Amino acid sequence: MQTLSIKRFGFAIASASIVSYLGCVFVMMTVPKDVAIRFFNSLMHGVDVTTIMRWDMPIGETVLGAVGVFVLGWLFGAMIACCYNCCGSEKKGEGVGSRE
């Protein structure tokens, strides 16, 4: 069984998370409010986000949120890789590409 690099997998998940976060920021900045609400309602499977949407988000909070999402993404990715490496043992000869 191959092992995953904890740091690299954590960075990959963190990078994907930050792209998603910045995508949300981009949507909020570029579309009208009613379109953004409809978009995020559809992502939330019908939960109405109208009352919890903030339209006056300062840039400092946005940057802090991006940093937080990156850190949490890295931690979750590292945890997934660690669990995969520790708990996913296979018996010799049963792995991918074995010829037995």
Side-chain angles (χ1 to χ4, degrees), residues 60-94:
E61 282 187 43
T62 304
V63 171
L64 184 61
V67 170
V69 165
F70 186 86
V71 170
L72 288 174
W74 192 93
L75 289 171
F76 282 124
M79 183 176 62
I80 291 167
C82 186
C83 290
Y84 177 85
N85 292 341
C86 293
C87 302
S89 63
E90 294 178 353
K91 294 180 183 176
K92 189 173 184 175
E94 291 182 5

Side-chain angles (χ1 to χ4, degrees), residues 20 24 28 35-53:
S20 175
C24 288
M28 298 261 321
V35 174
I37 289 170
R38 195 172 6 165
F39 175 73
F40 289 112
N41 280 349
S42 68
L43 288 179
M44 300 295 289
H45 304 286
V47 175
D48 187 13
V49 297
T50 307
T51 59
I52 61 172
M53 295 287 277

Side-chain angles (χ1 to χ4, degrees), residues 9-25:
F9 194 79
F11 185 78
I13 297 295
S15 298
S17 299
I18 199 70
V19 167
S20 175
Y21 181 85
L22 294 175
C24 288
V25 170

